[in-house]
Amino acid sequence: MAVSGSSSSSKFTRRQFVRTALVGATSLAIYAGEIERHFLEVNRSEVRIPGLHAAFDGTRIAQLSDIHLDAFTEPFFLRHAVNRINQLNPDMVFLTGDYVTSGRLYRRFDHDAAGQCGAILSQLVCPRRYAILGNHDVSAGAAMVTAALVEHGIPVLRNSYIPIEQGGGRFWLSGLDDAVEGKPDPERAIPFSIRNIVQEPVILMCHAPDYVDRLLADPVGRAISLVLSGHTHGGQVRLPLVGPLTLPKLGKKYVEGWFRLQNLQLHVNRGLGTVGVPFRFDCPPEISVITLRAV
C-alpha cells in the first residue's frame, strides 16, 4: 500500500511539473510575442560632436531601424512608431535599414511590404528624413526597396553623402551600402573632399555595427564623428545569465547602445521588428532620440 501510494504521488508530481512547465512556456511565449514585442521604448541620449557648428547644438535626431514589415511587424505597429516619432517632433529622422525581410518564405510579399513600408514612413512629418539599406533589403532587391522609399519622399544614401546645412553651419551625412549583402564603399561615402573640415563633422549611417572595425583600420575612419547602426535587434531574445540567443553576422561585437571607439562614437539601435521568430524578451523595440551637442 505504501509503495503504491508513493508511486501515485510520484506520477502526480511529474504531471504537475509538466503542466506547470507548459503553462509557463505558454505564458512566456504570449508575453514575448504579444506584449514585449509591441512595447515600444523611446530612449533619449546626448552625444558631443567635436567641431559641430553651434547652429546644430541641440539638434534632435530620431533613429528607427529594422522594421521588417509584414514578416512579423504589423502595419499598425509601424504606424504607431511613426505617430510616436511625430509626437517627439525631431529635427531629423534617420532610418538605418531592413524595411523588409528576405528569404524564400517572404519572397511573395517583399514588393508589397516595401511599398507599404514606404507609404507608412511617408507619414513622418519631419521633412529631413534619410535612409540606408540593410542586408535584408539588399537580398530582397535593393532597387525595389530603394524605389519604394524614394517614391515616398525618403532619400536613400547608398555609398553616398549629402550636406546638412542650417544657420550658416554644416555637417555631412553619409550612408554606406550594407556590409553583409551589399558592397560598402567608404571612399565614395566619405570622399577625401569632405574629411576633417573645420566645423563640418561627418555622421555615418551603417547598418551592420561591427563594420566599424573595418572603418577604424582605414584613414577614412578618422574623419567620422558618429556612426548610427541597427542590424542586431539588440539580441532580440536575451536570457538571464546567457545573454542573446543569437546574433547576426557583423552584429556580434557591438550589440546595442553606445560605444566610444577611438575618435568616433557608435550607437546601435535595437530596431522595431523581429526576424526568425516573432518574439522579444528582455529587449523591447526602440526609437532612439539623439541630441547633438557642440564641443
Side-chain angles (χ1 to χ4, degrees):
M1 294 289 292
V3 173
S4 176
S6 174
S7 175
S8 174
S9 174
S10 176
K11 290 180 180 178
F12 177 78
T13 301
R14 286 196 297 270
R15 291 194 194 100
Q16 286 292 93
F17 174 80
V18 171
R19 187 178 297 118
T20 301
L22 288 174
V23 170
T26 301
S27 300
L28 182 60
I30 292 172
Y31 171 78
E34 295 300 324
I35 298 175
E36 184 163 331
R37 185 168 69 86
H38 293 119
F39 186 78
L40 182 60
E41 282 190 352
V42 176
N43 290 321
R44 298 171 172 84
S45 55
E46 293 190 351
V47 57
R48 298 188 176 276
I49 305 292
L52 184 71
H53 193 281
F56 290 106
D57 188 70
T59 294
R60 293 185 309 128
I61 297 168
Q63 181 190 2
L64 185 65
S65 196
D66 297 271
I67 294 167
H68 293 284
L69 191 69
D70 265 2
F72 299 119
T73 303
E74 307 90 340
F76 82 81
F77 191 46
L78 177 55
R79 291 191 189 97
H80 172 60
V82 167
N83 290 337
R84 190 72 184 93
I85 291 173
N86 287 340
Q87 292 168 2
L88 294 166
N89 192 30
D91 300 291
M92 304 173 195
V93 179
F94 294 170
L95 306 166
T96 46
D98 277 359
Y99 310 94
V100 300
T101 299
S102 64
R104 284 181 293 179
L105 293 175
Y106 310 104
R107 195 166 294 158
R108 291 182 301 164
F109 311 107
D110 284 342
H111 185 275
D112 290 342
Q116 188 173 26
C117 189
I120 296 173
L121 290 172
S122 73
Q123 298 168 17
L124 289 164
V125 298
C126 179
R128 285 183 163 179
R129 51 201 189 188
Y130 306 95
I132 58 169
L133 300 183
N135 55 301
H136 283 268
D137 305 317
V138 175
S139 294
M144 173 191 67
V145 177
T146 298
L149 294 170
V150 172
E151 288 169 5
H152 288 94
I154 302 171
V156 176
L157 301 179
R158 194 176 182 199
N159 293 329
S160 59
Y161 62 96
I162 57 169
I164 304 293
E165 300 175 324
Q166 69 181 36
R170 177 165 65 183
F171 72 81
W172 298 94
L173 178 63
S174 296
L176 278 175
D177 193 9
D178 177 66
V180 177
E181 297 291 342
K183 296 180 179 179
D185 189 340
E187 295 295 328
R188 286 174 54 200
I190 310 170
F192 186 79
S193 61
I194 70 168
R195 297 179 196 174
N196 305 309
I197 303 174
V198 176
Q199 289 196 311
E200 295 187 12
V202 174
I203 295 177
L204 174 69
M205 294 191 291
C206 173
H207 181 69
D210 291 1
Y211 188 73
V212 75
D213 287 342
R214 156 72 175 80
L215 295 170
L216 288 170
D218 190 283
V220 71
R222 293 195 286 273
I224 304 170
S225 295
L226 173 64
V227 178
L228 300 179
S229 296
H231 186 51
T232 67
H233 300 195
Q236 190 169 306
V237 175
R238 301 188 300 205
L239 299 183
L241 305 179
V242 176
L245 292 185
T246 183
L247 290 167
K249 181 180 179 181
L250 290 182
K252 300 179 185 299
K253 185 175 181 180
Y254 307 112
V255 178
E256 71 154 329
W258 285 98
F259 302 88
R260 181 75 192 215
L261 305 167
Q262 298 179 28
N263 54 280
L264 64 79
Q265 296 174 81
L266 166 68
H267 180 260
V268 185
N269 179 281
R270 292 198 301 264
L272 188 72
T274 61
V275 165
V277 292
F279 299 142
R280 278 185 178 266
F281 187 77
D282 192 28
C283 191
E286 173 184 40
I287 294 170
S288 303
V289 179
I290 301 167
T291 301
L292 304 182
R293 291 299 182 189
V295 177

